[in-house]
Amino acid sequence: MDFSFEAYRKLLTALQKSDLNPTTFISYFENPTENAAIIRHDVDRRPLHGLKFGELEKEMGITATYYFRAGSCCYNEKIIKALSDMGHEIGYHYENLGQMNGNYEKAITDFENNLSRFRKLVDIKTICMHGLPMSPYDNKDLWQKYDYRDYDIQAEPFIDIDYRHLLYITDASRTWRQDSKANLRDKVANAISHPYLNIYDIIKDIEQQSIHQPLMFNIHPHNWSFHFLQHVQLLAWQSAKNMVKSIINRVRR
Ligand SMILES: [Zn+2]
C-alpha cells in the first residue's frame, strides 16, 4: 500500500540495490555526484513519524535530511537530537515571513531566534522553506531582503538547486502527481517532468535503472501510516484538505 511504512522500506531497498547513492542534502551540496538520491524529509507535523523514518533509515545504513518546523507542532528536542545522533542531517524548516504577516524585520528576528534555538542542540548547515498553503506570503521572499549566508547557512534546496538537472519527486499533499492542484507551494521552478502516480512506479524505475539521476525525494513522514487504521484516517483527512486547497488554487488564478 502506498504511503505505508512497508512501501517506504521497499523504496529504500530498491535504492540500496541500485547504483544510486542515497544521501543528505548537505553532502550532495558539498559534493554533487550524478548518482545522488537526496532524501529530504519535511517534518510539518507528527515528529514521531520522522523518528520512525529515521530509525528505519539508520537500520538500513542510510542518512537523510530532516527539516523541522520551529513551532510546537514539530520542534521536539529529544527527537531532533536522536535523529542527529543517528547521523541524519537536521535543518530548519522556516516559515517566518508568513507567520509575521509579511513584516520583514519581525520575520528575520524570528528566524534568528529559532535558528539559535536549533543550534543549541545540533549543527545546522541548511534551511528549507515551509510552504504555508493558506498564507499569501512566500516564505522564500525573506531572502530578497536578507541573506542566509550571513547566518552561516550554506544552502536552501528551493534556491540553490537547478531542477533542470536534478529530478524532484515529492509526496506533498499525499500525492506523487506533478500536476496535483492540491500542492500549492511545494513546487520547484523548471522541474523535470515525471510520470509517477504511485510509489510502485518509482520503485520499478529504480529497479530498472531508468530513473533520472541525480534526484531528490521530498517525503513528509507525517503523511505515512504505520498500520491500516491510521492509513484510513490519513486518507480521509487528506481528501478533505485537498478539496479546500484546490478551491484556493482556483480562486488565486
Ligand atoms: Zn513543510
Side-chain angles (χ1 to χ4, degrees), residues 1-6 49 174 221-228 230-232 234:
M1 202 185 333
D2 211 343
F3 301 108
S4 69
F5 203 53
E6 279 320 298
H49 282 223
R174 222 159 182 269
H222 72 263
N223 279 337
W224 295 62
S225 61
F226 298 100
H227 55 80
F228 185 70
Q230 195 180 41
H231 190 83
V232 175
L234 281 170

Side-chain angles (χ1 to χ4, degrees), residues 208-236:
Q208 294 178 348
Q209 313 269 28
S210 52
I211 199 159
H212 179 94
Q213 302 185 11
L215 77 157
M216 178 193 288
F217 288 103
N218 175 16
I219 289 172
H220 298 74
H222 72 263
N223 279 337
W224 295 62
S225 61
F226 298 100
H227 55 80
F228 185 70
L229 188 66
Q230 195 180 41
H231 190 83
V232 175
Q233 286 166 347
L234 281 170
L235 202 65

Side-chain angles (χ1 to χ4, degrees), residues 69-207:
R69 293 170 75 188
S72 56
C73 65
C74 308
Y75 184 84
N76 179 313
E77 297 195 341
K78 273 190 187 146
I79 292 179
I80 291 170
K81 195 84 183 57
L83 285 166
S84 173
D85 289 345
M86 288 177 211
H88 298 300
E89 182 197 0
I90 306 294
Y92 172 24
H93 202 32
Y94 66 94
E95 52 190 315
N96 322 86
L97 197 60
Q99 287 193 324
M100 297 300 152
N101 294 313
N103 183 318
Y104 281 75
E105 287 72 32
K106 281 187 182 166
I108 198 69
T109 305
D110 187 51
F111 175 83
E112 287 170 14
N113 292 341
N114 289 337
L115 184 63
S116 61
R117 191 152 51 97
F118 273 102
R119 279 182 165 157
K120 282 188 188 126
L121 290 179
V122 292
D123 194 17
I124 304 278
K125 290 181 175 167
T126 71
I127 55 170
C128 176
M129 72 111 193
H130 171 64
L132 285 167
M134 309 295 175
S135 165
Y137 299 101
D138 183 334
N139 287 314
K140 289 195 297 303
D141 287 350
L142 187 61
W143 312 121
Q144 291 185 354
K145 189 160 176 187
Y146 303 99
D147 188 349
Y148 44 82
R149 287 171 200 89
D150 293 343
Y151 299 94
D152 233 349
I153 294 295
Q154 294 187 36
E156 209 288 10
F158 282 107
I159 297 172
D160 294 298
I161 293 290
D162 182 355
Y163 291 97
R164 284 170 297 190
H165 174 65
L166 183 139
L167 173 66
Y168 181 72
I169 300 177
T170 178
D171 70 341
S173 304
R174 222 159 182 269
T175 175
W176 301 100
R177 297 180 69 107
Q178 242 170 348
D179 60 352
S180 166
K181 300 273 179 292
N183 182 1
L184 300 182
R185 289 247 196 260
D186 196 353
K187 289 185 173 157
V188 296
N190 306 311
I192 297 168
S193 64
H194 73 65
Y196 306 125
L197 302 178
N198 62 61
I199 196 165
Y200 302 103
D201 293 344
I202 301 168
I203 291 172
K204 204 169 108 199
D205 262 14
I206 293 171
E207 286 172 347

